Amino acid sequence: SDPPIPWRPVVAVCIGNSAHFYTICSLFSYAGIMCSDLGWADSNDTAGFAAGLLGSANVLGRVPSSFLWGKFVDRYGARRALVLSFLSITIGNVAFGLCTNLNLSIGIRLVLLGICNGWVTIFNPLVYNLVGAERQVEVISQVLGYGAVVQMLGPAIGGYTYGLYPQFPALVPSAVGACISLLAVVLSWKWIPETVKPGYEQFPAVSDEAEDTEKSGVALPLATLSLVVVLRSLVGLLNFGWFDVFPLWCIASRDVGGLDMTQTDLGTLLSLSSVCTLVFTLRAMSRICKFLGLRKSQVAFSFLLIGVLSILPFVSTWWMAAMMHVLAMCSQNVQISASMAMTNNATPERRRGEVNGIAVTCESIGKGLGPVGGANLFAWSVAQDTHGGRHVAFWALGGLDVLGLVCVFLMPRWIERGIDNREAEEASVAKVKTVGPQTVGATEEEAEILVPAHLDQKGAELGSHIVRVLHPEEPGSDHGWVTDVVVEAERLHGDAQVTHQHAQ
């Protein structure tokens, strides 16, 4: 059985993710009212522009800084990066709560809650370091699941506590976020293991020519990484585009193909969907990804999402819309988790933080374009065709998913286990080829896991494998007899040893 996941680091990561999500989503419930109360807008009806700037400032701050945070993680470790990020979130929450100037408030969210917050970049390589390639999706699903709870509670807390201190109406909800992030600082320092050796430098400096092959001769797989980064960008673009298009379609009148929902109807639908998605994410998602593998999970749920987006414009009832929304959100959560795991698996250890920084930068650009592109496309399409406009927006999102499928189909098989494991397996194959007896009739995957009984070789996989072996009558002869040999290998502290072998 699998060893237990270290619960203390996972709790620290969940608290950190809660601090990050609360900072973003708690603003949603009072941003417009705050802009009106502090005189940044004439009324609630005209507060949308200023409220939008406040909401997008911290997301835009990731674009210039994600790559730098990735380099910082590679050089100085995840724990130091987490502490600095959550300290910045703590200070930023307090400063935002005490601020009454619009430009200064935008600057605080852009710098302290955006540029100086490296959580989105740090999270992915940190999970890999904690539990490895095989169980990273399990931890990602737990963190995303509890993050969804904060996404539901954050706006409620913000709405209930806003205005309790009239002079600084946002101070109380911001103070709640500061307390969560301060707790994340303490737990990160206490419970997150250090990922670098003492001396503040994990790897020695290398020249530009040697940098791509520094770690044990592992070359940076640029083609595969390009596919992963494009996939992350498409997933972010689709995810945030969906967040805008679906509510707009729900509240649109039936004359233009919408469902004409009230705010109460839409809120109830989204709440029910959030609960169902939370149960799926915590209880089923990691098991499905482990059973199918990253690529098959991505493909299966991409097809499911394409089906939902194709059918959704023809839905006319509240219950069907709710069911379609649950299926779409579950599919997108699988895509997000699998694409994050693929980013780790496609990157050598030495460059994991840096590559994640590049991926987050591109993903943030996609997330920034998603709401603008999705909302404008929906509005334009409705204006062009009063009955079929909804089709264009949903089918455009489906087209993005098709492009993501192309990226997944082009990825190599080793993306499942990771580039570091691929090097160990290739070394094992090279050694096996020099040692008899001769193997025939084995597939490529079977050849990669073959470990003769007299070898003590790293890189074998857990389980039993059948390899057909030719026993020649004479050395070098092609004639002899064939047996199917069952080779059972186990991984123990990184050393794979054959424990049993027999002929059938």
Side-chain angles (χ1 to χ4, degrees):
S1 61
D2 294 329
I5 291 177
W7 66 269
R8 288 184 177 179
V10 173
V11 169
V13 170
C14 288
I15 296 296
N17 192 51
S18 299
H20 169 76
F21 267 122
Y22 180 87
T23 300
I24 297 173
C25 66
S26 63
L27 180 70
F28 294 161
S29 58
Y30 65 83
I33 300 174
M34 177 182 176
C35 292
S36 177
D37 289 345
L38 295 178
W40 302 343
D42 295 333
S43 66
N44 292 346
D45 295 335
T46 60
F49 178 73
L53 290 176
L54 290 174
S56 61
N58 52 342
V59 179
L60 294 175
R62 300 176 197 167
V63 176
S65 65
S66 295
F67 175 77
L68 299 177
W69 275 113
K71 296 285 285 186
F72 186 95
V73 171
D74 286 337
R75 182 58 59 89
Y76 301 112
R79 185 168 70 169
R80 294 183 179 90
L82 286 176
V83 169
L84 290 176
S85 294
F86 294 138
L87 279 175
S88 178
I89 294 176
T90 303
I91 298 171
N93 272 300
V94 174
F96 179 74
L98 294 172
C99 187
T100 57
N101 179 273
L102 176 61
N103 292 330
L104 186 57
S105 296
I106 294 173
I108 289 171
R109 296 189 70 86
L110 177 71
V111 176
L112 293 177
L113 303 181
I115 294 175
C116 295
N117 174 15
W119 166 255
V120 179
T121 301
I122 303 165
F123 165 64
N124 206 32
L126 173 62
V127 170
Y128 189 97
N129 288 336
L130 290 176
V131 296
E134 293 80 7
R135 307 192 69 181
Q136 57 180 326
V137 174
E138 186 176 347
V139 174
I140 290 173
S141 64
Q142 292 180 11
V143 176
L144 292 181
Y146 290 112
V149 175
V150 178
Q151 283 181 296
M152 290 188 291
L153 296 179
I157 295 173
Y160 283 123
T161 58
Y162 175 79
L164 293 180
Y165 190 67
Q167 185 176 358
F168 301 105
L171 180 60
V172 177
S174 298
V176 174
C179 292
I180 298 174
S181 54
L182 189 60
L183 176 62
V185 171
V186 176
L187 295 184
S188 297
W189 186 256
K190 291 288 186 180
W191 288 353
I192 297 295
E194 188 56 84
T195 58
V196 296
K197 298 176 181 179
Y200 293 87
E201 188 166 336
Q202 182 175 9
F203 300 104
V206 295
S207 64
D208 293 339
E209 294 79 5
E211 194 169 14
D212 286 348
T213 57
E214 172 68 17
K215 181 71 171 100
S216 302
V218 181
L220 199 63
L222 296 179
T224 303
L225 284 174
S226 299
L227 292 172
V228 171
V229 170
V230 171
L231 178 62
R232 290 280 295 269
S233 303
L234 292 171
V235 169
L237 179 60
L238 191 159
N239 188 236
F240 274 57
W242 164 262
F243 286 158
D244 257 29
V245 170
F246 182 82
L248 289 173
W249 170 69
C250 287
I251 63 176
S253 66
R254 291 189 178 272
D255 292 337
V256 296
L259 296 184
D260 200 17
M261 288 187 188
T262 64
Q263 286 295 112
T264 301
D265 292 335
L266 179 58
T268 304
L269 185 152
L270 296 178
S271 299
L272 177 62
S273 176
S274 297
V275 173
C276 295
T277 305
L278 173 64
V279 173
F280 170 81
T281 303
L282 291 177
R283 306 300 301 174
M285 188 172 74
S286 62
R287 291 183 173 90
I288 292 173
C289 290
K290 184 176 181 179
F291 178 75
L292 294 178
L294 297 178
R295 290 186 304 164
K296 290 182 180 179
S297 298
Q298 187 84 290
V299 169
F301 282 89
S302 292
F303 276 118
L304 176 59
L305 182 58
I306 291 170
V308 169
L309 293 172
S310 301
I311 296 172
L312 197 56
F314 303 101
V315 170
S316 59
T317 64
W318 185 93
W319 282 106
M320 281 297 295
M323 185 178 69
M324 292 293 108
H325 191 270
V326 171
L327 293 176
M329 291 305 300
C330 291
S331 300
Q332 290 181 63
N333 277 2
V334 172
Q335 292 177 330
I336 292 170
S337 299
S339 63
M340 292 174 69
M342 287 177 178
T343 308
N344 284 333
N345 289 357
T347 313
E349 181 184 359
R350 189 194 186 284
R351 309 291 294 276
R352 195 160 287 137
E354 177 185 348
V355 170
N356 271 277
I358 296 173
V360 169
T361 300
C362 297
E363 186 181 57
S364 299
I365 294 173
K367 289 179 177 179
L369 296 176
V372 176
N376 281 281
L377 180 60
F378 184 82
W380 174 85
S381 59
V382 168
Q384 299 299 313
D385 181 0
T386 56
H387 293 287
R390 64 197 188 278
H391 299 79
V392 177
F394 286 117
W395 291 351
L397 295 177
L400 295 176
D401 216 17
V402 171
L403 294 177
L405 272 175
V406 173
C407 294
V408 176
F409 283 131
L410 293 176
M411 290 181 186
R413 288 181 302 172
W414 56 259
I415 198 76
E416 300 284 349
R417 298 190 180 109
I419 190 171
D420 296 330
N421 291 333
R422 182 191 68 161
E423 186 200 38
E425 291 171 1
E426 288 176 347
S428 177
V429 172
K431 188 168 183 179
V432 166
K433 288 180 178 178
T434 65
V435 181
Q438 179 183 359
T439 62
V440 296
T443 66
E444 181 180 348
E445 288 186 350
E446 288 170 339
E448 288 182 356
I449 52 81
L450 173 60
V451 181
H454 54 278
L455 281 184
D456 181 9
Q457 177 66 45
K458 294 183 179 179
E461 293 296 319
L462 177 67
S464 300
H465 308 280
I466 299 177
V467 179
R468 182 156 293 172
V469 180
L470 170 66
H471 302 271
E473 294 178 348
E474 299 177 359
S477 173
D478 293 331
H479 300 281
W481 65 93
V482 173
T483 59
D484 287 338
V485 177
V486 178
V487 178
E488 297 182 1
E490 65 180 8
R491 184 185 296 277
L492 181 62
H493 303 300
D495 295 328
Q497 299 176 339
V498 171
T499 58
H500 183 66
Q501 179 170 300
H502 67 272
Q504 293 180 335

